[in-house]
Amino acid sequence: MQDSPPPQAQVARLGAGHPALASMVEAAAGGGAWLMLLHIDIEHFASINHNMGIDVGNQALQLVAERLSLRLGRRGHLWRHGSDEFVAAIPFPAGSSPPTEVAEELLGEIELPLSVLPYTLFLSAKIGASLCPQQALDASTLLHQAETAVRQTPHPAGEPVQFYAERFGETLHSEGIISRQIIDAVPNGELRMRYQPKISARDGRVVGMEALLRWQSRDLGMLLPERFMPTAERLGVIVQIGDWVLERVIGQARAWREQGFDDFFIGVNVSTLQLLEPDFVNNLLARIKNAGLPPAGIVLEINESALNNDVNTVYEAVMALRHEGVGLSLDNFGTGDSSLGSLVRYPADMLKIDRSFIRSAPAGNRETAIVRAIIAMGHQLGMKVLANGVETEAQLGFLRRSDCDIFQGYLFGEPMDAEAAGQALRRRYLRPELFAPATPDRTLLLVDDEENVLRSLVRLFRRDGYRILAAGNVRDAFGLLATNDVQVILSDQRMSEMDGTEFLGRVKMLYPDTIRLVLSGYTDLATVTDAINRGAIYRFLTKPWDDRELREHIRQAFATYEKQYARGVAR
C-alpha cells in the first residue's frame, strides 16, 4: 500500500548545511537503504519570467512544488534549490520500486499542463541523479554529482534520468550485471507479473488487463522490461522469458475465469523471436485449450518492429493464431517504421496508440490531429482503438470526444499484482464518476489576444446563459477545444500567432461539428471570402459591434448548430 501524502505540500528551501539531507546520507552510508539524490532542473524557465512576469513564474513554481511534493509523498524529501530547481532525496530499500520509476513520476507531474491564469504553461525538465553509498558518502558531494549529471546529457534516449557517470558503470544499472543475471532470472524465480486494467470508453467497465513483466533482481531491485529486455533479446533469453510469461498469464486467466470472470481479455506482449519459434503457435493454442479459455480471451500485443522481421514466417504465425480466434493488437502504433504497411498485411483486432501521442494530444494541434486520424482509420478498418498512457481527466475527455474505444493508464490504475487486479475485476467499474452523463451545455468559445476585448465579450454573453470559455491565444484555444464540447466559436481575426481565418480553418479540420465566426475591425475581403467559400467560417462580423446584433448572431449560430448536428445530421 502506498504511503499517504504529507498533510500539506510545503516545500522548504535547501538551507546551508542541509541537516535533514545530511541525516539521510548518514543513514545510507551506515548500511541503511540506498539513497538517491535527484537534481531537478526546469528547462527554459527564464522565458516565463521574461515574457509573462515574475508573479506568473512564482505561481508556476509553487504549483510545481505542490505537485512534486504530493507525488513523492512520504517516500522521500523535496526542497527548493536555486530559482527554478528542486532537489529530492529518496531512500530505496531492497525490493522497492526502482529509482528510475520515481524520477519518471516526477517528470510526469512537471510535464502536465499547468494553469496559471490567464495562461496554460507546458513545462519540461531534466533530472540528474547520484547514489549513496555507491558514489559518495556526504551530502555536498552528492549534490555536486547530481547537478553535474543533469548538465552532462539532456534527456538521454530511453532514460528518464541521467545518473552521474563516474563509476556508475560498476554499480546500479551496469550492463554487465544485467547480462550476467538475466540468464538465470527464470530458474531463480525472479520474474513477477503485474496487471493494468483496460477500461471501456462507454461506461468505465473493466474489459481487460494488460500483463506487464517485472524483474526482481537480487542486486538491482525491481526493474521495468525496457531496462532488461533488450539485453534478454540480444542474449536469446527472451524466448525463455516469453514462454514463462505466457504460462503465467494463461494460468491467471484460468484462475479468474474459475472465479466467475469470463467477460474480459488479457493482452500480453510477444517478441519477434517468439513468433519465429517453429512450435510457438501449436504450443500457445494447446495451452489455451488445456486451460479451458476462449481463444479471444488472449490478445497478443505485437510491436510494429516485430512485423518487419522475417515477414513471411511472422505473417504465417499471426494468421494461424487469428484463424483460431486469438486476438491481435498492434502495440505502440504510430512510432514504428511500418505503421500503414502493418495495417495492410495484418488483420489486427486493435490498435494501441502510443502514449507519446496521448501525452501531447489535448494541447498539441498536430498530436490532436494524429490521434483523431488513427482512431478514425482504425474504425474504418473495423478495429477497436486503445489509448495507452491516459493520466488526466483532460486526456480522457478529449479521447472520449474523439470516439476512442478503450483506455489504459494511471488515471484508472497503476500496474498491480494479481490479487489487486482481481479486486478491480470484482468492482467491474473504475472511476465511474468520470463517465456519468453530463447535462449538455450551450458552450461558446471566445478567442481574442486583446485582454480588454475578451473581458467585454465575456460580460456581454454571460447574460444569455451560455457556458463561456475564453482564450487569449490560439494555443490555449486548441487546449480548450480538446477538453470541452464546444458548439460555437467567436474568434478575433488579427492575432499574433495566426489570423482568425487560419485558426478556424484548422478548427474545421479537427472539430468540423462547430459553428465558427470571425470578429474583426480589419477587413481583407479576399481572405474572408476564401474562408467562407471553404466553409472555415460561418459568418464574418465587424468591430466595433452592436451588442444587440452580436448577441443575435450568436443566438442564430447556436440555432444553426442544433439544426445541423444535434438531430444527428452527418458531421
Side-chain angles (χ1 to χ4, degrees):
M1 179 180 298
Q2 186 174 339
D3 290 331
S4 58
Q8 54 183 358
Q10 296 287 336
V11 179
R13 288 191 174 272
L14 189 63
H18 28 74
L21 176 58
S23 176
M24 297 175 74
V25 172
E26 182 178 356
W34 294 356
L35 182 71
M36 178 176 67
L37 196 70
L38 299 179
H39 181 100
I40 305 168
D41 182 19
I42 309 294
E43 294 187 280
H44 312 302
F45 197 84
S47 65
I48 294 177
N49 288 331
H50 177 74
N51 294 312
M52 301 174 187
I54 299 296
D55 289 342
V56 171
N58 288 338
Q59 290 181 57
L61 288 173
Q62 178 61 33
L63 290 172
V64 169
E66 292 173 2
R67 283 184 179 179
L68 295 179
S69 181
L70 290 172
R71 171 60 69 177
L72 190 59
R74 300 191 186 279
R75 293 179 291 180
H77 289 270
L78 181 75
W79 297 273
R80 283 281 301 276
H81 184 58
S83 60
D84 56 358
E85 300 168 336
F86 297 85
V87 167
I90 306 165
F92 55 103
S96 64
S97 298
T100 50
E101 281 192 2
V102 182
E104 190 170 14
E105 288 180 34
L106 298 180
L107 275 177
E109 290 294 327
I110 294 170
E111 292 173 355
L112 290 175
L114 195 68
S115 178
V116 182
L117 296 179
Y119 305 101
T120 299
L121 306 179
F122 297 85
L123 305 179
S124 59
K126 297 184 294 186
I127 294 183
S130 56
L131 299 169
C132 177
Q134 291 89 341
Q135 295 178 314
L137 299 176
D138 65 278
S140 295
T141 304
L142 284 168
L143 283 168
H144 174 73
Q145 290 175 340
E147 186 172 1
T148 300
V150 85
R151 313 295 180 213
Q152 285 175 342
T153 306
H155 278 318
E159 294 287 350
V161 56
Q162 176 72 2
F163 282 84
Y164 182 65
E166 185 180 350
R167 295 175 52 208
F168 185 67
E170 303 172 4
T171 57
L172 189 62
H173 287 168
S174 166
E175 178 66 19
I177 293 177
I178 292 177
S179 297
R180 290 192 300 272
Q181 295 185 0
I182 191 61
I183 296 174
D184 298 318
V186 171
N188 289 345
E190 296 173 351
L191 299 181
R192 304 286 184 269
M193 292 308 304
R194 297 292 183 264
Y195 299 89
Q196 189 171 35
K198 298 175 185 285
I199 306 299
S200 168
R202 183 172 60 184
D203 52 12
R205 184 169 64 90
V206 180
V207 295
M209 293 281 175
E210 179 173 5
L212 299 165
L213 180 65
R214 302 289 186 264
W215 175 27
Q216 181 65 60
S217 166
R218 60 182 179 272
D219 291 330
L220 309 182
M222 190 76 80
L223 297 183
L224 297 172
E226 49 265 36
R227 190 66 198 95
F228 62 86
M229 287 300 271
T231 302
E233 186 167 9
R234 178 173 57 82
L235 297 175
V237 190
I238 194 169
V239 174
Q240 180 189 28
I241 293 175
D243 187 67
W244 181 91
V245 168
L246 285 171
E247 180 181 356
R248 293 303 184 278
V249 167
I250 291 172
Q252 185 60 62
R254 177 179 180 177
W256 279 332
R257 188 172 178 83
E258 290 173 347
Q259 296 171 26
F261 307 120
D262 57 1
D263 58 347
F264 74 100
F265 65 91
I266 297 183
V268 56
N269 285 274
V270 294
S271 69
T272 304
L273 292 180
Q274 287 177 271
L275 293 170
L276 294 175
E277 285 286 299
D279 296 328
F280 175 77
V281 172
N282 291 334
N283 289 340
L284 176 59
L285 292 175
R287 280 176 169 170
I288 292 174
K289 181 179 180 180
N290 293 337
L293 299 177
I298 300 297
V299 175
L300 302 183
E301 300 197 357
I302 303 177
N303 202 299
E304 290 177 68
S305 60
L307 305 179
N308 280 332
N309 296 280
D310 202 341
V311 172
N312 289 335
T313 304
V314 171
Y315 176 81
E316 291 173 1
V318 168
M319 293 306 295
L321 291 168
R322 291 288 294 115
H323 179 73
E324 297 297 329
V326 177
L328 173 65
S329 172
L330 295 184
D331 202 10
N332 301 324
F333 187 80
T335 61
D337 297 328
S338 63
S339 299
L340 297 180
S342 303
L343 296 182
V344 173
R345 290 193 299 271
Y346 297 92
D349 302 277
M350 186 179 301
L351 288 183
K352 190 179 210 180
I353 306 176
D354 186 72
R355 66 175 62 245
S356 62
F357 295 110
I358 304 304
R359 172 175 290 182
S360 304
N365 182 31
R366 298 176 66 86
E367 291 83 358
T368 298
I370 290 171
V371 169
R372 289 172 67 98
I374 291 174
I375 294 171
M377 180 172 57
H379 289 168
Q380 286 290 321
L381 295 172
M383 290 182 281
K384 298 286 188 181
V385 181
L386 183 148
N388 188 28
V390 181
E391 298 181 350
T392 69
E393 292 184 26
Q395 293 169 346
L396 175 65
F398 160 70
L399 290 164
R400 291 190 73 196
R401 290 186 61 223
S402 302
D403 297 323
C404 190
D405 301 293
I406 301 173
F407 308 131
Q408 179 182 337
Y410 279 83
L411 184 63
F412 300 100
E414 60 185 14
M416 57 193 77
D417 60 26
E419 181 179 355
Q423 293 174 359
L425 288 171
R426 280 188 287 274
R427 289 170 58 190
R428 291 186 62 81
Y429 297 91
L430 299 182
R431 303 296 302 273
E433 73 278 4
L434 300 179
F435 297 85
T439 303
D441 292 317
R442 303 177 90 194
T443 302
L444 170 64
L445 172 60
L446 304 172
V447 186
D448 200 305
D449 58 3
E450 293 186 36
E451 186 176 352
N452 291 335
V453 173
L454 195 59
R455 288 178 178 174
S456 297
L457 291 171
V458 170
R459 286 195 299 269
L460 174 63
F461 293 115
R462 188 175 290 150
R463 70 185 76 172
D464 294 321
Y466 304 129
R467 176 175 175 245
I468 297 176
L469 305 174
N473 57 68
V474 168
R475 183 182 181 88
D476 287 351
F478 279 122
L480 291 171
L481 284 166
T483 55
N484 293 274
D485 190 7
V486 175
Q487 293 88 42
V488 176
I489 306 167
L490 179 63
S491 172
D492 184 31
Q493 170 66 4
R494 302 189 73 177
M495 294 184 290
S496 57
E497 295 170 274
M498 67 180 67
D499 61 43
T501 50
E502 180 184 356
F503 163 61
L504 293 177
R506 294 190 185 183
V507 170
K508 181 189 178 233
M509 295 176 59
L510 296 173
Y511 308 99
D513 53 341
T514 52
I515 304 297
R516 302 167 293 277
L517 302 89
V518 167
L519 178 66
S520 179
Y522 169 78
T523 303
D524 178 349
L525 188 58
T527 300
V528 173
T529 301
D530 178 65
I532 293 175
N533 289 339
R534 289 185 291 107
I537 62 174
Y538 161 77
R539 192 162 293 175
F540 185 90
L541 309 172
T542 58
K543 296 179 182 177
W545 65 83
D546 177 273
D547 285 359
R548 182 184 59 79
E549 291 181 357
L550 185 55
R551 290 171 62 198
E552 177 61 19
H553 283 304
I554 297 301
R555 187 195 66 78
Q556 291 178 10
F558 276 105
T560 300
Y561 174 86
E562 290 160 5
K563 181 179 179 180
Q564 292 183 356
Y565 301 116
R567 297 180 183 175
V569 176
R571 302 184 175 191

